[in-house]
Amino acid sequence: MIAEPTVTCKSLVQNENLAVDTTGAVNHTVGGAWDENRQKSVRGKRRARKGSENAKRRHTKATNGHLKRGDVEAVTLFEVVTMGRSAMQAVVDDWIEAYITDRDSALLDLISFFIQCSGCKGLVTAEMFQSRKEDVMSTMVEELDESTGLQYKKFLAFPWILTVTWPMDMDGGEYPLTMSGPYWRRFRSEFCEFVSVLVTQCQYSVIFDSYLMDTIISLLTELSDSCIRAFRHTCTLAAMKLLSSLIGVAVSLTVSIENSQRLDKVERTKTSGRRNSQRLERMQRKTTELQDKRVEIENMMDAIFKGVFLKRYRDVLPEIRSMCMEELAIWMKLYSPVFLTDSYLKYMGWMMHDKLPEVRLKCVLGLQGLYGEPVLLPKLDLFNSRFKDRLISMTLDKDQEVALQTLRLLTLISQSGEDVLTVEDYKQLFQLVYSSQRALATTAGELLYTRLLSCPALTVDLQDDVSDHDKNIQLTKARLRALMHFYQDSGLHQHVTYLVDSLWDCAGAMLKDWSSLTSLLLQDTSTGDPGLSAEEQLLVIGVLVTSVRRAVEGPLLVGRNTCKKIVNAREKRAQLDDCGRLTEHFLKVLPQLLSKYSGSQETAASLLNIPQYFHPDTESPQALASLLAEMGALVELHTDPAVLEAAARSYLILCSEETAWHTLARPAMDAVVQCWVNRLTALLREVLQDGNFTADEEKTGEILSTLKKLTAFHNAQDLSAWGLYEHVSPLLSVDIACGGLPSEVTVEALQCVSYSVLWNLNTSGESLNTREKAISQRTQLRTLCEKCLHCLSHGNHSVKEQAFLSLCDVLTAHNYQMHVWGPSSYGPLLYTPHPRLQRVLLAYILEHVFTGAQCTSHSRESCEERLEELHRRRNLLAAYCKLIVHRVLEMSMAAEVFMFYMKYYNDFGDIIKETLSRTRQMDKIESARTLVLCLQQLFLRLKQEQESGVTCSSSVQTFSSIKELARRFSLTFGWDQTKSRESLALIHRDGIEFVFHDFNKKADKSSPPYLPYLTILSEFSSKLLRPDKKTVHSYLQRYVNEQTTSNREECWQPLIHYRASLLTTGAEGEDAVSFISSETLKQQSPVNHSPTVRHSPTTDGDMRPSSALNSTEAKARRSQRASSSSLSQEKIPGVELGSIGRETLPIKVLPEQQSNTNEELDVDTVDL
């Protein structure tokens, strides 16, 4: 409810009214209380009170049943708005009766209602307009009286001049249309309903009196043009809904006119003897009257459109713009003879360029309603030609919903006519089937299927004298060829999976017609049918395999956003049915396909993936035996990694103990592996003589192919029972001792041996039941690491890379196994990598990963090759970082990696940041020491480079880049400063000791050689709590005296800025720590020593941050702090900072202090 105005407000308005020459004035509060004008007569007062809303209402008996809500009677129109349509109709009927009796008072009630719905808490004054006053328009103002804190708006609502007065803070507050909660959410719909009911109930009575609608339209026009958002938003909504309701009246009048004209026509067709001239005259008068009323309604609509819509459809408020576009679409659909013209459609086209997606979406949704009506399509031809290009470009809108709805609109447009969209337009729209948004891709798939795969042209060439099965095969073949042409034209020849997923919802029956697809592939070309080309075969097999996977696994694709929903029972049952159907079909057909296409590696690799999706409960021994025989022949024939990997995975599924065919598949696979092992053993026995590798090219090829097969299968399954480590390890020993082993054989041997060790580690908890086996496993692990270490110095790059990856995998697995084994199970003894091995691993990373992303050697490579190279380097770095995270390597080994965080941020920033986060979770103190070591090493390298007088090389980072790296490190500590107190304290302590190492503050007059490091250290000052800053500053004072701090020479500037970062808080501290260029670093005196040894704290004491307090202690300390009592706090053990631990560092910080010291998070990085 709106409060009554104050006496000051009333007097101000009354004084203003006295200055205007009027025949009568009425003051009315928005809350409903009348302020009677002194110039009115007593009779006038009574009449006004009788007609007012807050005085005694008429017909209380008739309306009490509708107005009660919780036994409270509503007395204002504002309260009635939320009571539902039945209460509205009763109150509107009462209001119409009051309007007929005293229209001025009733209209003032309605005006107050609109003002109150805008959230205005003020006073409304109405003054009668006098036409003889020529200067009345000059008094129409909207201003602020700062002396009284009130705002005024005076405007003309014919025949009145209305003055609204309200508090000046209204513009910044909420109003009913923007308030939250269920009550106010319902208010908008009920407010619109009230306007509709008002027009509906008045359409047969007072709406044509040339008084009511003129006043309302004038009121809404003026208030919708206000600079106050509440007035503008509310009254624009009311005006738009008012015009929509008037359209309903105009449509009713149009129907009545058409009925009257038909009756008139029927009457005129009668003979002259039966024709009733009086009835005909009445019909003509009625038709003329209805037409005049429709013209009057159209004039009202035109006044609202020109007075409100034309000013507000470009309003600064997006809600108002969206509202205007939504209502305009409704007007065009409901009253197309007037509004569905090019002069109105242009506003819809213009607003499709709006900068906010909400407005663009309303335009597109409105156009969907228009294009969905076939009778309206002829009026949209010009709009199609003018705005078609804009609609096509909106399919790539950054807002997903706008792009989706625009594509659906274009689908409707394509159905409206064949000549609207050109071939080039369709090509652009069809490309959206590869979109990462599944909803958009699915809609594009529907358009592709409708326009390309279901067009009548495909059925023209079908033969009539063939069976339905053959006709279905012919239709499928025609569709596949059309799909193949599109697939080839798109140029995306590795995205058939996404194409099938986009077509799945609309063309699922065609894609799951595996019988027709396999019939096409097995078609006999000897009958004269040309059959499929090689490209068509690849496409059909790709669609076949992808549809099998899609039917079993669902729409989960890498890179395509889709809502993760729980599969219901119906969908799960459909997946099981499809799985059983495809298993039954492919058990019979797949052997034939493998036999026919065994010569192609790519085709064979795709077909070998199908058994992975078989249903495990299907029993067909004869068909399975045929399939296993073909698979064995295929893996014997090919050595391609893709074929072998697919075969190994399929064998793994078929040999699972959960399947019904386990007893048949396992012996078949064992026989294949045993054949390979026997062959490899015989070959190695021949070529390894006297410790040398003596093999010709043919035998080398046989060894290499056998190793590839065994390695691929060993990767998928445990083949330890065949002793592959013992068979293959002599190859590496010969290569280390004498050399001469081909690099391809060395790579495969390394892989095979590492897989053997990994499987042994994985099963060590079950297989190691004696200490001898545990020692043997440790020896095996040590031997492999030594051989890999030797291979890291190999001349071939592939051998070195494989040795590095094998080392990382084996050491990581060993570390994990050490956490899960029990001492009673004779687990493997601890193996610690040798320091030399750790250094070699680090050197390999520095040489092969951080090689310069901007290197000119990659300038001629294609984009795919550069991406492949980047992917390889990321794998190497991730493998090395896993060794640090799993504690295989010392954490200090990560310092060299952290140095490249900023330099290679785009390539490896996510990996390095995740490593930094994981190390901090492992040990906050050691992680902080690693950051300190990283920054100090960079600083020392730069120092040495500059002292040598040589220009900085590309391998040495500049001072500004080191400073930026420190800033990024500080941002990784996050918002919660209390969690990082120990780490930050250690960083500052080590930094201060690093700078002032062996510096005598009394004797030395020159600055310390490493003083510029304080500028780098100041980047961490913003993360310190205010008490910690004071403590660190006190610790700094131990190394410098007052004479040093007051020195303003250039060489002492870093110290001045560092002290400023500790003494100031918030933005002042950041401004104080200005950038110190590397020129300052160059001016420092040369150094004769390097402080690489950490010094223990002095004997004066320790500087430590205080520990976190529990809630009881915190409350007690707050009460003690309030009474100015002394505190004593516990100290955190473990972080030795110096001798001034007597200063208390409270953990609880006031909000203003916390906001001053918090730093912005590093939000522009990507978590791994």
Side-chain angles (χ1 to χ4, degrees):
M1 293 298 294
I2 307 301
E4 288 246 359
T6 61
V7 177
T8 305
C9 181
K10 292 182 181 179
S11 62
L12 285 170
V13 177
Q14 289 174 0
N15 292 336
E16 183 181 354
N17 295 338
L18 292 176
V20 181
D21 186 12
T22 61
T23 58
V26 180
N27 291 342
H28 188 247
T29 63
V30 181
W34 288 87
D35 185 12
E36 302 159 2
N37 194 281
R38 296 177 181 177
Q39 298 180 9
K40 291 186 70 73
S41 63
V42 175
R43 184 176 180 181
K45 293 179 184 179
R46 292 175 180 175
R47 184 168 62 250
R49 285 179 179 272
K50 187 174 182 180
S52 69
E53 189 176 6
N54 295 314
K56 180 177 71 175
R57 275 195 175 276
R58 293 184 177 90
H59 309 291
T60 54
K61 293 182 180 180
T63 59
N64 266 348
H66 298 289
L67 298 180
K68 286 186 178 181
R69 189 183 221 183
D71 297 330
V72 177
E73 182 179 357
V75 293
T76 64
L77 291 174
F78 182 77
E79 291 179 340
V80 174
V81 166
T82 57
M83 288 191 172
R85 185 178 179 87
S86 59
M88 286 184 194
Q89 290 178 345
V91 171
V92 169
D93 291 339
D94 289 346
W95 182 87
I96 293 174
E97 294 180 9
Y99 176 82
I100 295 173
T101 304
D102 188 350
R103 63 183 186 180
D104 291 342
S105 300
L107 263 180
L108 197 57
D109 280 342
L110 187 61
I111 291 171
S112 300
F113 162 75
F114 285 115
I115 300 297
Q116 189 176 7
C117 287
S118 301
C120 179
K121 303 177 181 180
L123 182 71
V124 181
T125 303
E127 309 166 21
M128 295 305 294
F129 170 67
Q130 298 296 318
S131 59
R132 66 176 184 271
K133 296 292 291 182
E134 298 179 357
D135 61 341
V136 68
M137 295 305 297
S138 63
T139 63
M140 304 294 102
V141 296
E142 182 172 358
E143 59 185 14
L144 167 65
D145 187 351
E146 297 183 357
S147 61
T148 60
L150 298 175
Q151 298 187 57
Y152 298 88
K153 180 173 179 62
K154 182 185 290 186
F155 57 94
L156 177 64
F158 189 84
W160 291 332
I161 298 175
L162 298 179
T163 303
V164 184
T165 309
W166 67 92
M168 61 181 295
D169 60 346
M170 174 187 167
D171 192 29
E174 292 184 335
Y175 50 96
L177 289 183
T178 60
M179 290 183 180
S180 59
Y183 180 87
W184 297 110
R185 283 197 298 269
R186 192 170 61 249
F187 172 83
R188 178 188 175 93
S189 61
E190 298 295 346
F191 176 71
C192 299
E193 184 70 19
F194 176 84
V195 176
S196 176
V197 171
L198 177 64
V199 175
T200 302
Q201 298 299 101
C202 296
Q203 63 177 322
Y204 301 112
S205 56
V206 297
I207 197 174
F208 300 103
D209 64 351
S210 300
Y211 188 81
L212 170 64
M213 294 307 299
D214 290 348
T215 304
I216 294 178
I217 293 174
S218 181
L219 169 73
L220 297 179
T221 301
E222 291 294 335
L223 288 181
S224 65
D225 199 27
S226 172
C227 64
I228 304 301
R229 172 180 172 176
F231 285 149
R232 199 169 68 252
H233 190 184
T234 306
C235 294
T236 301
L237 175 62
M240 297 297 101
K241 294 299 179 182
L242 180 62
L243 199 155
S244 300
S245 302
L246 289 175
I247 286 178
V249 177
V251 171
S252 300
L253 290 173
T254 301
V255 173
S256 300
I257 291 173
E258 292 175 353
N259 292 336
S260 179
Q261 288 176 346
R262 281 196 295 267
L263 292 175
D264 181 77
K265 184 177 180 180
V266 171
E267 190 66 27
R268 289 179 183 277
T269 56
K270 293 181 179 179
T271 60
S272 58
R274 299 179 57 186
R275 185 184 305 162
N276 191 331
S277 59
Q278 294 181 355
R279 183 188 303 169
L280 186 61
E281 185 179 353
R282 286 197 305 271
M283 290 180 183
Q284 292 176 350
R285 287 199 305 268
K286 182 180 179 181
T287 302
T288 303
E289 180 183 354
L290 291 174
Q291 289 175 345
D292 293 341
K293 287 184 177 180
R294 185 173 65 178
V295 170
E296 188 174 351
I297 291 294
E298 290 178 353
N299 290 335
M300 297 178 190
M301 294 188 296
D302 187 64
I304 297 175
F305 185 85
K306 293 180 178 179
V308 180
F309 180 88
L310 290 183
K311 298 179 180 179
R312 300 275 67 83
Y313 83 96
R314 293 182 299 178
D315 194 276
V316 68
L317 195 65
E319 290 85 352
I320 296 179
R321 302 199 301 271
S322 302
M323 175 205 314
C324 291
M325 292 299 105
E326 183 179 10
E327 294 300 320
L328 178 60
I330 295 175
W331 305 339
M332 292 177 178
K333 188 175 182 180
L334 295 179
Y335 205 47
S336 58
V338 174
F339 287 99
L340 193 57
T341 61
D342 297 330
S343 58
Y344 291 96
L345 280 169
K346 65 183 180 182
Y347 301 111
M348 194 74 72
W350 290 345
M351 296 310 290
M352 288 193 301
H353 294 82
D354 194 274
K355 61 182 180 180
L356 290 183
E358 295 82 2
V359 183
R360 301 195 298 270
L361 181 61
K362 291 295 182 184
C363 295
V364 174
L365 293 176
L367 290 172
Q368 286 182 7
L370 298 179
Y371 281 96
E373 297 291 337
V375 295
L376 305 179
L377 295 178
K379 297 184 177 182
L380 297 169
D381 293 338
L382 183 59
F383 181 84
N384 292 336
S385 61
R386 289 187 60 186
F387 297 102
K388 180 189 68 174
D389 294 339
R390 173 56 185 164
L391 287 174
I392 293 177
S393 66
M394 287 176 65
T395 57
L396 302 176
D397 196 281
K398 62 180 181 180
D399 186 83
Q400 301 176 11
E401 187 65 21
V402 173
L404 174 62
Q405 297 301 333
T406 303
L407 185 57
R408 291 177 178 174
L409 172 61
L410 289 170
T411 303
L412 291 175
I413 294 176
S414 67
Q415 297 171 0
S416 65
E418 296 294 333
D419 56 344
V420 180
L421 298 178
T422 64
V423 176
E424 294 298 326
D425 296 335
Y426 281 118
K427 285 183 178 180
Q428 185 174 350
L429 297 177
F430 290 162
Q431 295 296 322
L432 296 174
V433 295
Y434 301 110
S435 171
S436 60
Q437 306 298 327
R438 189 175 188 275
L440 183 63
T442 302
T443 306
E446 295 175 0
L447 180 62
L448 175 65
Y449 182 76
T450 303
R451 302 296 304 181
L452 196 62
L453 305 181
S454 297
C455 60
L458 295 177
T459 60
V460 174
D461 299 332
L462 296 182
Q463 302 177 6
D464 298 332
D465 56 345
V466 297
S467 63
D468 294 340
H469 178 69
D470 294 338
K471 188 177 294 185
N472 188 26
I473 293 178
Q474 292 179 8
L475 180 60
T476 303
K477 185 176 181 179
R479 288 177 173 176
L480 286 174
R481 282 180 174 168
L483 188 63
M484 185 196 65
H485 290 313
F486 161 74
Y487 185 61
Q488 290 176 340
D489 294 341
S490 64
L492 302 172
H493 300 291
Q494 296 180 357
H495 292 71
V496 67
T497 304
Y498 299 91
L499 178 61
V500 170
D501 184 61
S502 302
L503 293 170
W504 189 261
D505 293 342
C506 58
M510 181 192 79
L511 296 174
K512 290 192 293 186
D513 189 5
W514 298 304
S515 176
S516 298
L517 294 175
T518 52
S519 298
L520 281 175
L521 294 173
L522 296 174
Q523 192 174 13
D524 188 7
T525 58
S526 61
T527 58
D529 196 329
L532 300 176
S533 64
E535 294 179 350
E536 290 176 335
Q537 290 175 1
L538 288 177
L539 176 62
V540 173
I541 291 176
V543 171
L544 180 69
V545 176
T546 305
S547 63
V548 168
R549 177 186 176 185
R550 177 63 174 76
V552 176
E553 293 184 349
L556 298 180
L557 290 177
V558 177
R560 174 160 286 181
N561 298 336
T562 178
C563 54
K564 293 184 179 180
K565 64 176 183 178
I566 300 176
V567 180
N568 54 37
R570 181 179 179 182
E571 294 173 342
K572 186 65 175 177
R573 186 166 55 252
Q575 288 183 356
L576 292 176
D577 293 342
D578 290 339
C579 184
R581 190 162 58 88
L582 71 89
T583 303
E584 183 179 357
H585 174 72
F586 282 103
L587 274 176
K588 301 176 182 178
V589 178
L590 188 57
Q592 304 176 33
L593 292 174
L594 292 176
S595 176
K596 182 177 181 179
Y597 296 99
S598 60
S600 173
Q601 295 180 352
E602 185 178 358
T603 303
S606 299
L607 292 175
L608 282 174
N609 285 310
I610 294 179
Q612 301 176 25
Y613 308 104
F614 282 175
H615 196 280
D617 297 334
T618 305
E619 295 185 5
S620 182
Q622 186 175 357
L624 181 62
S626 177
L627 175 61
L628 291 172
E630 291 295 336
M631 291 176 61
L634 204 60
V635 295
E636 189 68 30
L637 178 63
H638 293 285
T639 59
D640 183 69
V643 176
L644 296 177
E645 181 182 357
R649 291 181 180 274
S650 296
Y651 269 117
L652 180 64
I653 297 298
L654 296 176
C655 296
S656 175
E657 297 181 357
E658 300 175 357
T659 60
W661 45 68
H662 167 70
T663 55
L664 291 176
R666 172 57 69 177
M669 193 203 72
D670 291 347
V672 171
V673 175
Q674 185 63 50
C675 178
W676 292 339
V677 172
N678 294 338
R679 184 186 308 163
L680 180 64
T681 304
L683 288 171
L684 293 180
R685 190 181 302 114
E686 294 179 10
V687 300
L688 294 180
Q689 297 178 1
D690 299 329
N692 295 321
F693 183 78
T694 58
D696 55 12
E697 185 176 353
E698 181 181 355
K699 290 186 178 180
T700 301
E702 293 181 9
I703 294 174
L704 181 60
S705 62
T706 307
L707 276 177
K708 286 183 177 180
K709 296 172 184 178
L710 288 172
T711 301
F713 274 67
H714 206 0
N715 184 24
Q717 303 185 52
D718 184 11
L719 304 183
S720 301
W722 282 271
L724 292 181
Y725 182 89
E726 290 76 11
H727 289 300
V728 180
S729 183
L731 277 173
L732 297 177
S733 300
V734 169
D735 183 62
I736 293 173
C738 304
L741 194 67
S743 58
E744 296 86 354
V745 177
T746 306
V747 170
E748 295 298 330
L750 279 172
Q751 272 190 308
C752 187
V753 171
S754 63
Y755 289 155
S756 298
V757 175
L758 288 174
W759 278 110
N760 290 336
L761 290 173
N762 185 52
T763 59
S764 58
E766 304 172 359
S767 60
L768 296 184
N769 48 19
T770 62
R771 185 173 181 81
E772 289 75 14
K773 291 184 178 181
I775 296 176
S776 174
Q777 186 181 81
R778 185 187 66 172
T779 304
Q780 189 181 85
L781 177 62
R782 182 188 296 111
T783 303
L784 175 61
C785 291
E786 292 175 354
K787 292 179 179 180
C788 290
L789 177 60
H790 183 273
C791 290
L792 284 175
S793 59
H794 198 278
N796 185 271
H797 178 72
S798 300
V799 174
K800 291 192 291 185
E801 181 176 342
Q802 183 58 50
F804 178 83
L805 292 176
S806 299
L807 265 176
C808 293
D809 292 341
V810 169
L811 293 176
T812 303
H814 172 262
N815 178 268
Y816 174 77
Q817 195 266 350
M818 291 300 299
H819 290 85
V820 298
W821 77 291
S824 60
S825 61
Y826 297 98
L829 301 180
L830 178 63
Y831 171 74
T832 303
H834 193 272
R836 178 172 173 268
L837 176 61
Q838 300 187 32
R839 292 193 299 270
V840 171
L841 290 174
L842 177 59
Y844 182 85
I845 284 294
L846 297 179
E847 180 182 357
H848 294 88
V849 175
F850 302 108
T851 57
Q854 295 79 24
C855 185
T856 57
S857 61
H858 298 286
S859 59
R860 296 184 179 180
E861 295 181 359
S862 64
C863 181
E864 292 79 5
E865 291 174 345
R866 289 198 299 270
L867 290 176
E868 188 66 27
E869 175 67 15
L870 176 61
H871 180 65
R872 185 189 65 81
R873 292 161 61 195
R874 285 175 60 87
N875 284 340
L876 294 175
L877 179 61
Y880 181 79
C881 291
K882 283 193 293 184
L883 296 179
I884 298 172
V885 171
H886 289 282
R887 303 177 187 271
V888 178
L889 302 180
E890 296 179 1
M891 195 178 296
S892 60
M893 302 293 290
E896 292 285 346
V897 175
F898 293 162
M899 293 179 183
F900 300 98
Y901 180 49
M902 287 303 301
K903 187 175 181 180
Y904 292 90
Y905 181 79
N906 293 333
D907 294 340
F908 314 116
D910 53 343
I911 299 177
I912 298 177
K913 185 180 179 183
E914 181 67 17
T915 305
L916 179 58
S917 175
R918 295 289 186 90
T919 55
R920 188 168 294 156
Q921 295 174 11
M922 293 160 50
D923 190 338
K924 293 189 295 184
I925 301 302
E926 190 62 29
S927 176
R929 288 197 177 98
T930 305
L931 295 183
V932 170
L933 179 61
C934 170
L935 295 174
Q936 290 179 0
Q937 287 181 355
L938 286 174
F939 180 82
L940 289 174
R941 292 175 187 175
L942 178 62
K943 183 75 174 176
Q944 294 172 2
E945 188 86 11
Q946 292 179 343
E947 288 177 352
S948 63
V950 182
T951 305
C952 295
S953 62
S954 59
S955 60
V956 178
Q957 300 187 30
T958 62
F959 188 83
S960 59
S961 62
I962 301 174
K963 186 173 180 290
E964 177 63 19
L965 179 63
R967 188 185 73 85
R968 286 301 185 100
F969 284 162
S970 69
L971 293 179
T972 59
F973 285 100
W975 293 95
D976 193 351
Q977 296 167 315
T978 57
K979 293 182 179 180
S980 307
R981 298 184 72 182
E982 298 178 7
S983 302
L984 291 169
L986 182 139
I987 291 173
H988 283 275
R989 184 207 67 181
D990 283 8
I992 293 172
E993 293 179 354
F994 173 75
V995 171
F996 295 101
H997 174 70
D998 289 345
F999 175 72
N1000 191 336
K1001 62 181 179 180
K1002 295 182 179 180
D1004 293 349
K1005 295 183 179 180
S1006 60
S1007 62
Y1010 299 144
L1011 191 65
Y1013 183 78
L1014 292 179
T1015 304
I1016 300 173
L1017 190 61
S1018 63
E1019 295 293 339
F1020 296 92
S1021 300
S1022 60
K1023 290 299 180 180
L1024 288 171
L1025 293 175
R1026 184 174 297 179
D1028 293 349
K1029 287 186 177 183
K1030 297 180 181 179
T1031 307
V1032 173
H1033 180 263
S1034 301
Y1035 185 70
L1036 176 65
Q1037 293 299 111
R1038 295 174 45 211
Y1039 292 92
V1040 295
N1041 50 30
E1042 295 182 0
Q1043 182 180 0
T1044 304
T1045 56
S1046 61
N1047 195 329
R1048 297 297 175 179
E1049 295 181 4
E1050 182 69 21
C1051 60
W1052 291 100
Q1053 288 300 314
L1055 176 60
I1056 297 173
H1057 290 293
Y1058 181 59
R1059 291 183 68 253
S1061 68
L1062 297 175
L1063 294 176
T1064 55
T1065 58
E1068 300 175 0
E1070 297 179 5
D1071 294 338
V1073 186
S1074 60
F1075 173 74
I1076 303 298
S1077 67
S1078 58
E1079 297 297 328
T1080 304
L1081 183 61
K1082 293 180 181 179
Q1083 296 174 3
Q1084 306 305 317
S1085 58
V1087 64
N1088 297 325
H1089 54 270
S1090 178
T1092 56
V1093 182
R1094 295 187 181 274
H1095 293 270
S1096 61
T1098 59
T1099 56
D1100 297 337
D1102 298 329
M1103 182 180 75
R1104 306 173 183 172
S1106 59
S1107 63
L1109 307 176
N1110 56 35
S1111 58
T1112 307
E1113 292 173 336
K1115 292 179 181 178
R1117 298 212 173 178
R1118 282 197 294 269
S1119 62
Q1120 292 174 0
R1121 195 179 298 113
S1123 60
S1124 301
S1125 60
S1126 60
L1127 301 178
S1128 62
Q1129 296 181 340
E1130 291 185 33
K1131 298 178 181 179
I1132 296 179
V1135 184
E1136 305 294 334
L1137 295 180
S1139 61
I1140 49 177
R1142 299 181 182 87
E1143 283 197 356
T1144 58
L1145 305 180
I1147 296 298
K1148 199 69 175 178
V1149 183
L1150 294 177
E1152 57 268 22
Q1153 294 174 332
Q1154 205 165 8
S1155 63
N1156 288 336
T1157 57
N1158 282 342
E1159 185 69 34
E1160 184 179 356
L1161 279 175
D1162 187 9
V1163 297
D1164 58 342
T1165 58
V1166 181
D1167 290 336
L1168 182 62

